[in-house]
Amino acid sequence: MKLSQATTMLDVALAEAQKRGVSVCISILDAAAWPVAFIRMDGAPLGVIDVAGKKARTAILFQMDSEVFAKIGCPGGDAYTLENTNGGLTSFGGGIVLRTADSTVLGSIGVSGASTEDDIAIAQAAAKTLTA
Amino acid sequence: MKLSQATTMLDVALAEAQKRGVSVCISILDAAAWPVAFIRMDGAPLGVIDVAGKKARTAILFQMDSEVFAKIGCPGGDAYTLENTNGGLTSFGGGIVLRTADSTVLGSIGVSGASTEDDIAIAQAAAKTLTA
Amino acid sequence: MKLSQATTMLDVALAEAQKRGVSVCISILDAAAWPVAFIRMDGAPLGVIDVAGKKARTAILFQMDSEVFAKIGCPGGDAYTLENTNGGLTSFGGGIVLRTADSTVLGSIGVSGASTEDDIAIAQAAAKTLTA
Amino acid sequence: MKLSQATTMLDVALAEAQKRGVSVCISILDAAAWPVAFIRMDGAPLGVIDVAGKKARTAILFQMDSEVFAKIGCPGGDAYTLENTNGGLTSFGGGIVLRTADSTVLGSIGVSGASTEDDIAIAQAAAKTLTA
């Protein structure tokens, strides 16, 4: 992941959030789960700073979008307690694995602060910049 | 949040707890989740010191009373694992967002040590001093 | 330590700080190092919240005022690295052991936010209420 | 602190770092020490992600640039062990308090990854955008 790829994604995610009229935090991690870039939009609640990071962390650590992870890492799921590993992961949507056009994993993005549907849509808009 | 507002709330909360014959901890945070004031009543179990703080933290970080948060941050809730973010949050009542008469968020209060109903009532009594 | 003793100390410490024209945090712990009461005065920097607590913690854990502890828990001191135990202690003044008139240890008080001299004087003013 | 102020600072800091031929991490916090924006330049060592954040945290928590803090929070300094409070602070330069033209504290910026002199110069270049 290059910083220029991350900042392009931030720009697109920010525009998408503004279009939807929501305030979110956006966290981008590299393929080794280390932070590359982060922004908090004006008005986003303080609690979602950590949530955005954990969504991205969940996605890259298991190379699985957090809404997919949610189905196994939960009470009754095939891997209940997996959500409590790695310092705490996130069993709901908004964390997405970032892949290039040839499917190379570049990192992940986590969006939090709006409805889960909006969070996912914003993350997907950003992710698409890598394959366009 | 001014200290004078917080100490007025502590006085009212303490009187309400004494009236109900219960021993609680009361934690007051500012709008950025930093502590402003705290008291532990004689006889309150040691474990509730942290609980009072986490209730207040839950309320201010998501600008949502902890009993409302409890409905989404729990197994089967829309945001299961949200309760494990931000160092651990509280999915039961007793943490209340503090607002002025014009709805400005000033901070939060967390009360713990009695029944959840008593904890909530004590927190609400304190919160009302800001709008009276 | 009773809450009423702690709140009396908070009142005296607050008055002493106001007389000196400084903004401090004041933390009071019981004899087992658990929090009894805390206040942050308007204008105190956020960083001193933790410092006030650590000063009080240092004093009660070793039953030694933090300015005395400072002489042994430092590079070159008789117990260098002691300051790094117990989650981090404080090797400068402002944490004072609280004793009754018959020398029973009741707990400790930590004051932070002003000069070390002012912090100590404020803590001492509060401590005197237990022996007067 | 508005996000637009933070992203303007990131742009200026990034340009200054590129001009100097160095790779750094840049962390911007609000006045209550919560993250607003962060970037890691290509080639910056992973260890400096945390350092940039701690520099910024040091500056805002004590409203003191980290190179000034370094003179008191160190062995032999007036407040040895202060550097170990608040989860660990930074006793060297590169963390700067951000103020508007009328001296209102807006937050802080931390830069890490180059020489301390370069880190400070990059942070200062960014900080100037608030007073220009």
Side-chain angles (χ1 to χ4, degrees), chain B residues 65 67 96 109 119-129:
Chain B
D65 292 352
E67 64 181 307
I96 285 186
I109 185 170
D119 288 345
I120 293 172
I122 294 165
Q124 287 174 334
K128 274 179 199 154
T129 64

Side-chain angles (χ1 to χ4, degrees), chain D residues 36-61:
Chain D
V36 179
F38 168 83
I39 57 171
R40 169 163 54 109
M41 289 174 68
D42 302 340
L46 295 174
V48 304
I49 297 171
D50 186 47
V51 180
K54 279 192 160 54
K55 285 182 179 179
R57 190 168 166 82
T58 300
I60 193 62
L61 287 185

Side-chain angles (χ1 to χ4, degrees), chain B residues 4 18 31 52 57 60 67 80 83 99 102-104 107 112 117:
Chain B
S4 58
Q18 287 166 336
R57 191 168 166 82
I60 193 61
E67 64 181 307
Y80 166 61
E83 68 272 30
R99 291 187 172 87
D102 67 354
S103 291
T104 305
S112 184
E117 291 68 24

Side-chain angles (χ1 to χ4, degrees), chain A residues 53-125:
Chain A
K54 280 191 160 55
K55 284 182 179 180
R57 189 168 167 81
T58 300
I60 193 61
L61 288 184
F62 291 94
Q63 302 210 347
M64 190 186 292
D65 292 352
S66 63
E67 65 180 308
V68 178
F69 180 89
K71 292 174 186 161
I72 60 167
C74 63
D78 283 350
Y80 167 58
T81 68
L82 193 61
E83 69 273 30
N84 299 329
T85 64
N86 293 283
L89 299 171
T90 309
S91 285
F92 52 102
I96 285 186
V97 182
L98 296 170
R99 291 187 172 88
T100 58
D102 66 355
S103 291
T104 305
V105 172
L106 273 194
S108 64
I109 184 170
V111 177
S112 183
S115 69
T116 302
E117 292 69 23
D118 278 334
D119 288 345
I120 294 172
I122 293 164
Q124 286 174 334

Side-chain angles (χ1 to χ4, degrees), chain A residues 32-51:
Chain A
W34 289 93
V36 179
F38 168 84
I39 58 171
R40 169 162 53 110
M41 289 176 68
D42 302 340
L46 295 173
V48 305
I49 297 171
D50 187 47
V51 179

